[in-house]
Amino acid sequence: MAQKERDKEYWLIPKRANLHQSVVLLQGIIKLGYDGKTWNPSKQDRLGSYLGKEGATKTGKNITPQALRTLLASIPQYFGFAFINTETTPNTLLLTEAGQKIVTEQQAFFKNFEFNNLKDAEKENGCIQYSELYLNQFLKLQITNPVILKDCENILIFPLIFTLKILKKTTYLTYEEIAFFIFRSKSQSEYDLVLVEIENYRKLDYESQINLIETFKKTHLGNISLVQAPTSSYFQKLCFFTGLILKSEIEIINPKNNEKRKLNTIILNDSKEKLIDKIIKEYNYEPYDFGNNLHLWLEYIGNTSVKATPLDVSIWNKTHTEQLIVISQNNKIINGDLVSPSGNISYPSLEKTNYSISIYNKKNHY
């Protein structure tokens, strides 16, 4: 029997969450001159070798092209630092401005990195633990978007903002609560609903909580989020690199027999309370439905000077005749159509971005 297709109305979290390794990969793309070049197995093999030489693999040895492609699809592509341009034949690898900048941001760190492998570095907390640029990218990240659209749809939410707001009210979130309540959220407006769901869940007795979670684990979504390479654990790691969220644990006791179980949790970093409050208060952008517009997504997520999501701008034809209206950006046509009198045409506009609007009729060109 064919495996049931994954429910796409559920947060897609990448199954690698190593910021240090990701930045070394981006650095390797720059140093080996692969930015803008054909993305093929030989380059993937050389990049795998580069990671090994730079002590950015668990053992200090090379990683395979398959493992490297998985790494690229995690933090680098997920957060808009790099992408594969499928509009070229063959496909090409491109770094965004954000990708270039995070490598520059970490140059001082790499000068003092003296470990031969990640295993040793992690033991001594010698890996990259924080990046301000990564934090800003995570704040901008929206689920869903064109990069993950084939696996995730019908969700419009800022995952980090949503999680911060929930944590402000709940104090902590267990991995089970993340998988069962947070990952199923579809919009910013579900904030109050999710709070009530978590509150009701916590009021359940010990056995009822366990029965609910164990039943969920038997589903496909429960399996990927809590059992097999659990995405709730990867999400915790992604949140940790922002400096705003820490890993912790709580102990639950069964009042009937004093049975105890420890649960992994995420909590807010108390030392960052003022920054967290400032972010929650000021980050009031609206999620935008990017659809499959990869170009627009990369213009937004890959440009560090852009903070706000796009706004749809309409151009109205106030004349008495049809007009051909063409909107372009960097000589690339965004939209164009013959617009009837009193009709309009719209296009997504990004802040700090210039657009060219050309209007044609049978007699004149404006």
Side-chain angles (χ1 to χ4, degrees), residues 316-323 338-344:
W316 291 83
N317 179 7
K318 297 293 187 178
T319 72
H320 299 291
T321 59
E322 289 183 330
Q323 306 289 334
L338 196 62
V339 181
S340 302
S342 300
N344 72 88

Side-chain angles (χ1 to χ4, degrees), residues 231-251:
T231 54
S232 54
S233 175
Y234 288 110
F235 184 67
Q236 174 269 312
K237 293 176 183 177
L238 294 176
C239 290
F240 171 76
F241 296 130
T242 68
L244 306 181
I245 292 174
L246 303 175
K247 181 180 180 181
S248 185
E249 63 180 29
I250 60 170
E251 188 173 75

Side-chain angles (χ1 to χ4, degrees), residues 18-27 30-31 50 54 75 81 98-113 126-135 241-242:
N18 193 304
L19 182 60
H20 183 100
Q21 195 176 47
S22 297
V23 177
V24 175
L25 171 60
L26 297 170
Q27 180 178 260
I30 295 172
K31 288 194 173 183
Y50 177 86
E54 295 297 318
I75 288 176
F81 296 114
Q100 300 278 353
K101 282 194 170 182
I102 197 170
V103 172
T104 302
E105 177 197 54
Q106 297 298 329
Q107 283 307 296
F109 177 90
F110 285 123
K111 287 180 181 179
N112 298 314
F113 185 78
C127 297
I128 297 173
Q129 301 289 308
Y130 169 77
S131 162
E132 182 179 0
L133 202 144
Y134 169 84
L135 166 59
F241 296 130
T242 68

Side-chain angles (χ1 to χ4, degrees), residues 45-67:
D45 192 56
R46 284 198 64 194
L47 278 168
S49 176
Y50 177 86
L51 288 173
K53 291 176 182 177
E54 295 297 318
T57 63
K58 285 289 183 182
T59 62
K61 297 180 180 179
N62 303 0
I63 61 172
T64 65
Q66 173 59 48

